[in-house]
Amino acid sequence: MRFVNRTKGEQVLEEKKRMEELVEILDRAARVYYSGEDEIMSNYEYDKLYDELTELEKKTGIILAGSPTTKVGYETLSELPKETHIAPMLSLAKTKDVGELTDWLGDQKGLLSMKLDGLSIIITYEDGVLTKALTRGNGEVGEVITNNARTFKNIPGRIPFSGRMVLRGEALIRYSDFEELNQGSGDDESIRQYKNPRNLCAGSVRQLNNEVTAGRRVRFYAYNLIELAGEGDDLPSLSEGSKEDELTFIHSQGFELAPYKPVTGDGLASAVDVFAKEVAESDLPSDGLVLTYDDIAYSKELGRTAKAPRDSIALKWQDETAETTLIDIEWSASRTGLINPVAIFEPVELEGTTVQRASVHNVSILRELKLGIGDRITVYKANMIIPQIESNLTGSDTCEPPKRCPICESETELVNENGSTVLMCPNEACYAKQIRALTHFVSRDAMNIDGLSEATLEKLISKHYIRTCEDIFHLEKYRDEIISDDTMKIREKAFENLKNAIESAKKASLPNVIFALGIRGIGLATAKDIVRKYPDITLSGFLSITKEELLAVDGIGENLADSVIAYVNNDRNRELVEKLDSILQVSTPEISTSEAVLDGLTFVITGSLHTFENRSACKESIEKLGGRVASAVSANTDFLVNNDIHSTSSKNKKAKALGVPIITEAELRSRMEAIFP
């Protein structure tokens, strides 16, 4: 073996090369994170690489241009207007050591608060009314999202204070709302592209169409007063006094606060332990804690660095990790063609639960982790919630993406998507695509064909009675075979019901048909936006839509526009749409130009109706006026519509328990006077 002595210069060059790699990786991760797209690495992985870069900068004395250690955020990329902040929105210094946190606080009184994992927002109220809302952007310049902020579920429409108040807080989507939106009625299929509440929130807050934002259940939690101007002896001072007094004043104006506790050095460690338990059970996404000095005058004396204030510090969670053995990589196919890797490992206990699976997200991360079957790996729960692989102790790097689709055996393709390598099945006839695409096509918010469950579709496909969506409308020619086939379990009466459902589905609304096509990222809400923008468009005319026309639709950006164009430029898709156009009687829904008097309100409809033909007609009327109809009563419901307000039904009971008003059909119509005078 030959030993080579490296000179100091060679060592610095190697370290500089590694720094360049880290800057590139972190920059790409930040770009995806701040634009609200799916992350390419977890917070844990980002922090680890960030800390490595920081240490190399200290060691070498070199800070590369564009290093994330010198930047607060990432440049805004959307078409929203931009505006300079009245004061920079800085990042926080961070630690994972509670002892370091205690030393930092010293003999001062502090406020320890939950570090919420959403999108930082600065809002301004003047004369009691919300006049401006800005995202963090790059820390100096943010995006103007005032109209979107007005749709946040818990933000005050008017406050008692009549002067000027500027405060900072976090826009977020609660875990319960995120799960409900993902499993809900399917009004917005694009929600399912987001893996966690933080990403969905970032994408929702930055929508060009605030109707989309209104349906995403975004909430605002305040944590800092930036400016206060007005008259009165009771106003908290921004130059002296207590930050807790500031928070009390903010709360008195109707704002919800980020959960916090007053602390001193002696009780800080126990307060952190209490928060750790609360965070694990909380409905609010959180990625750590924030400690700030309570004394405002003392905080002002400390000033700030170019990147962070000196009066606050963040504690990042020391995630509980466990060592285990990788058993397998499972490749899961979807109707969009993506084949996603999932790690299967020997079960371990983490944060009180048994874990044996973790998403690897894409091929890029699979390769970065150098995974191989039998490798010893460490796993953790990101923010104590989502199982992730932390590191690979073996690094055998023997796992390769399958050359063929696990479902249809077609040759797979590696595709670059947003800077990451993903595995795709290009076969349009892939069984996984067929099942999921057809299930989507017949679903309630698409073609709404009762009697065609996923299990039934699987049997019809296996018998070759159905191959494409078009074949559903010719199913009657296989009537005798289906009825006589014992494995199908569809007898004459059931087949007649199915036939009638298929016949009824031929009369369809254009947004529902566009949604039914299963274009990646296009949900029902977006389909409605397209038709609202171009009310004269037909189903066959949709095939001629241009990218420029799509980009003119609120809420559609480059990625969604490219997705639609890729779909309509595909010969197989064009042929299908043209055949459907010849079969279906497609109507364009009436677009109300009246004021959206129900904008941002969520309704649940139950019981019998007297003046509406059915619940679908009632729902359609509500949606025309900007409202939303949900299937279940929750804390996010504004009104339960029930002509029997004294009913003891489960929905009435839940509405009363949650304080949700129960209104009759007549009361609903009175709120819809723009359409029903």
Side-chain angles (χ1 to χ4, degrees), residues 131-408:
T131 57
K132 188 186 301 177
L134 298 176
T135 66
R136 177 183 183 178
N138 66 358
E140 298 288 340
V141 177
E143 296 162 309
V144 180
I145 54 140
T146 311
N147 287 338
N148 292 345
R150 291 189 177 113
T151 73
F152 292 173
K153 296 294 292 185
N154 64 338
I155 204 162
R158 178 174 286 275
I159 62 174
F161 180 61
S162 59
R164 173 181 167 85
M165 182 170 74
V166 184
L167 64 157
R168 180 173 175 175
E170 200 82 358
L172 59 80
I173 295 174
R174 302 179 306 186
Y175 285 120
S176 59
D177 288 328
F178 179 72
E179 291 301 322
E180 203 168 299
L181 286 166
N182 263 283
Q183 299 169 11
S185 63
D187 284 347
D188 190 350
E189 176 74 11
S190 62
I191 287 173
R192 291 173 176 81
Q193 70 180 293
Y194 297 98
K195 288 190 174 71
N196 57 52
R198 196 269 166 205
N199 283 6
L200 177 59
C201 180
S204 302
V205 166
R206 301 169 68 251
Q207 290 286 326
L208 297 179
N209 180 356
N210 69 347
E211 182 182 358
V212 177
T213 309
R216 300 285 181 81
R217 307 185 189 180
V218 181
R219 294 174 178 270
F220 178 81
Y221 293 83
Y223 52 74
N224 190 27
L225 192 58
I226 296 174
E227 181 181 333
L228 197 68
E231 299 179 357
D233 297 331
D234 297 331
L235 297 183
S237 171
L238 294 182
S239 59
E240 58 186 26
S242 159
K243 287 186 180 176
E244 187 170 13
D245 289 341
E246 285 187 1
L247 292 176
T248 301
F249 174 77
I250 292 170
H251 191 51
S252 74
Q253 300 301 303
F255 294 93
E256 292 189 56
L257 303 176
Y260 76 93
K261 305 178 191 296
V263 293
T264 59
D266 291 340
L268 182 58
S270 61
V272 170
D273 289 340
V274 171
F275 256 126
K277 294 175 183 175
E278 291 179 358
V279 165
E281 299 174 357
S282 175
D283 202 18
L284 304 180
S286 170
D287 57 353
L289 301 174
V290 175
L291 179 62
T292 187
Y293 295 119
D294 186 50
D295 189 321
I296 294 174
Y298 181 70
S299 294
K300 283 196 69 175
E301 290 174 8
L302 296 175
R304 63 182 179 87
T305 68
K307 183 176 171 64
R310 290 193 173 97
D311 70 334
S312 300
I313 186 172
L315 175 73
K316 302 288 282 186
W317 295 119
Q318 282 279 15
D319 296 289
E320 181 184 345
T321 61
E323 187 175 327
T324 184
T325 300
L326 183 67
I327 299 173
D328 195 11
I329 295 290
E330 182 180 281
W331 295 87
S332 176
S334 70
R335 70 176 174 85
T336 61
L338 273 175
I339 305 175
N340 302 309
V342 178
I344 314 296
F345 43 82
E346 291 180 355
V348 291
E349 290 289 320
L350 286 176
E351 312 292 350
T353 61
T354 302
V355 177
Q356 55 188 7
R357 298 167 64 89
S359 173
V360 188
H361 302 300
N362 55 50
V363 176
S364 290
I365 294 176
L366 180 84
R367 288 172 172 168
E368 287 170 13
L369 288 169
K370 298 182 177 179
L371 293 175
I373 306 305
D375 284 359
R376 294 295 290 174
I377 58 174
T378 58
V379 295
Y380 69 103
K381 278 190 176 179
N383 300 330
M384 301 191 291
I385 302 292
I386 306 166
Q388 301 280 342
I389 297 178
E390 177 200 12
S391 62
N392 185 354
L393 305 178
T394 308
S396 65
D397 200 18
T398 57
C399 281
E400 288 293 329
K403 301 293 185 185
R404 299 197 170 276
C405 172
I407 305 299
C408 70

Side-chain angles (χ1 to χ4, degrees), residues 34-74:
Y34 283 105
S35 64
E37 300 170 22
D38 265 345
E39 73 271 17
I40 59 175
M41 65 175 65
S42 67
N43 288 343
Y44 187 97
E45 293 162 322
Y46 183 94
D47 290 343
K48 190 163 62 173
L49 296 177
Y50 185 98
D51 291 343
E52 182 185 351
L53 177 61
T54 302
E55 289 303 313
L56 285 171
E57 287 178 345
K58 289 178 183 177
K59 182 179 179 181
T60 62
I62 299 170
I63 298 180
L64 300 173
S67 170
T69 64
T70 64
K71 293 193 292 186
V72 175
Y74 207 85

Side-chain angles (χ1 to χ4, degrees), residues 31 66 73 122 127 165 248 285 290 322 397 410 428 442 449 465 499 512 554 619 649 674:
R31 184 183 301 112
I122 286 186
D127 297 324
M165 182 170 74
T248 301
V290 175
D397 200 18
S410 295
E428 293 298 326
V442 303
I449 303 177
Y465 299 148
K499 174 188 169 184
N512 297 84
D554 283 350
K619 176 181 177 183
S649 69

Side-chain angles (χ1 to χ4, degrees), residues 10 32 105 195 269 345 572 622 675:
E10 288 173 335
V32 170
L105 183 60
K195 288 190 174 71
F345 43 82
R572 185 191 294 266
I622 290 171
I675 288 182

